[in-house]
Amino acid sequence: MSPMRTHGSCVSVSVRSPPASSASRCSLSNSSASSDDATCGAPIWMGKGLTCVCFKRKGTYERIFFDLTPQQEERLRRLKQRMRICFDGSKVEHQEGLRALWHATYPGQELISLVSDQWKDMGWQGRDPSTDFRGAGFISLENLLFFAKTFSTSFQQLLKKEGGNRATWEYPFAVGGVNITFMLMQMLDLDSLKPRTFVRPVFLQMLSENEWAFDLLYCVAFVVMDKQWLERNATYMEFNDVLRTTRSQLEKELLMDDVLRIEDMPSYSLLS
């Protein structure tokens, strides 16, 4: 990023275009949900384009200006639309999303029913996972599925709680993933009229280069959360505290000078 400096006005910024993400893509239908069965509202157990902002990096302030291109605006619009879709257990595409997640998580293992004790093994709170999407909605299912298909090794390690000195009372994997989606939605704050932090404009630039930036950030957030969980030898009741420190770590990495893509974040190397 190499801004031309002027005094008292916004300036244009030349941004190096990073290469496209090497991560494979997966998506589900993004049709809106509106029936009474839609699951949206309070989280389960959580205890228009940018115009001008001031950046402080390496002790100096840089005033940055950019307009969203039509492609950027369209990607932002699609992401915000995804975030507004509540999970609706009566919709066929949402049911198929759950089945796809099951088969990506347990290849070759038959799913008896969408309401089954089998789901508890994945870290849902009960027999019916559709009741656990409050606060994050359908995109949290898409995030889990993207993680399972794109970084299957890391996904399986976290699912099976492999590595490290694990607590007796561990966080439930799937519900933890839903809460990570909700945390990222709050952190990025894409619906506010003005950015409250510099994280949002930085992420919007990443989104302009890769439409799967949010899903990739989710995968990074999950492995960061689990790493911090192990480092502090946390238990179930400390999940919210670990989530807060995870958010702080993500914000710190996103604002690093040499981080222009999600793949440039230091913690991206934790994924496999």
Side-chain angles (χ1 to χ4, degrees):
M1 186 175 291
S2 54
M4 299 171 55
R5 297 184 179 276
T6 64
H7 297 284
S9 62
C10 292
V11 297
S12 62
V13 179
S14 175
V15 180
R16 174 173 61 85
S17 296
S21 169
S22 60
S24 60
R25 299 179 177 182
C26 72
S27 63
L28 295 172
S29 172
N30 292 331
S31 59
S32 61
S34 59
S35 81
D36 294 337
D37 293 329
T39 304
C40 236
I44 305 166
W45 52 292
M46 291 289 297
K48 183 166 172 195
L50 174 69
T51 54
C52 184
V53 296
C54 291
F55 254 76
K56 184 178 182 182
R57 286 189 170 181
K58 294 185 177 179
T60 62
Y61 284 94
E62 298 174 350
R63 201 163 177 83
I64 295 177
F65 172 85
F66 67 85
D67 287 320
L68 294 181
T69 65
Q71 182 191 51
Q72 291 168 345
E73 288 207 8
E74 176 60 18
R75 287 184 175 179
L76 177 58
R77 185 195 67 79
R78 288 203 300 264
L79 177 57
K80 291 167 72 172
Q81 181 184 20
R82 289 175 64 195
M83 291 179 173
R84 295 190 185 105
I85 298 176
C86 298
F87 186 88
D88 185 347
S90 69
K91 285 186 170 291
V92 173
E93 57 265 38
H94 291 199
Q95 296 171 8
E96 290 303 314
L98 281 175
R99 292 189 180 95
L101 177 62
W102 176 267
H103 293 304
T105 305
Y106 302 110
Q109 184 174 336
E110 181 183 0
L111 175 64
I112 297 174
S113 171
L114 288 178
V115 179
S116 166
D117 284 331
Q118 289 176 288
W119 290 105
K120 296 179 183 179
D121 294 336
M122 197 187 296
W124 301 100
Q125 295 189 111
R127 302 178 71 247
D128 184 2
S130 68
T131 63
D132 284 342
F133 289 103
R134 293 186 297 276
F138 186 60
I139 191 173
S140 59
L141 173 57
E142 291 182 308
N143 290 157
L144 281 167
L145 183 55
F146 181 92
F147 190 14
K149 289 188 172 184
T150 309
F151 302 102
S152 59
T153 300
S154 293
F155 181 90
Q156 291 293 332
Q157 287 174 343
L158 269 59
L159 170 71
K160 298 172 183 176
K161 309 293 185 181
E162 295 177 350
N165 184 22
R166 294 287 175 178
T168 302
W169 200 9
E170 278 282 316
Y171 67 88
F173 174 79
V175 175
V178 172
N179 280 277
I180 289 172
T181 298
F182 186 79
M183 177 271 288
L184 292 177
M185 292 165 67
Q186 288 186 315
M187 182 183 81
L188 297 175
D189 197 26
L190 297 180
D191 279 323
S192 65
L193 296 177
K194 295 182 179 179
R196 301 174 186 175
T197 70
F198 299 141
V199 171
R200 189 178 82 169
V202 167
F203 174 77
L204 289 180
Q205 183 61 32
M206 293 176 174
L207 183 64
S208 72
E209 303 294 344
N210 186 347
E211 62 180 316
W212 300 102
F214 183 82
D215 302 84
L216 287 170
L217 182 59
Y218 171 87
C219 298
V220 174
F222 216 137
V223 292
V224 169
M225 185 277 291
D226 191 74
K227 182 174 182 289
Q228 296 199 3
W229 177 274
L230 290 173
E231 287 176 349
R232 65 187 294 170
N233 195 26
T235 63
Y236 181 90
M237 298 303 293
E238 298 174 276
F239 181 82
N240 284 340
D241 292 335
V242 174
L243 208 58
R244 279 189 287 269
T245 58
T246 298
R247 172 172 172 169
S248 296
Q249 180 64 29
L250 295 174
E251 291 173 334
K252 176 183 177 181
E253 293 190 19
L254 286 169
L255 294 178
M256 290 179 176
D257 286 343
D258 55 352
V259 173
L260 301 180
R261 310 172 302 158
I262 299 298
E263 295 93 325
D264 295 330
M265 296 175 67
S267 292
Y268 184 86
S269 63
L270 297 173
L271 290 165
S272 58

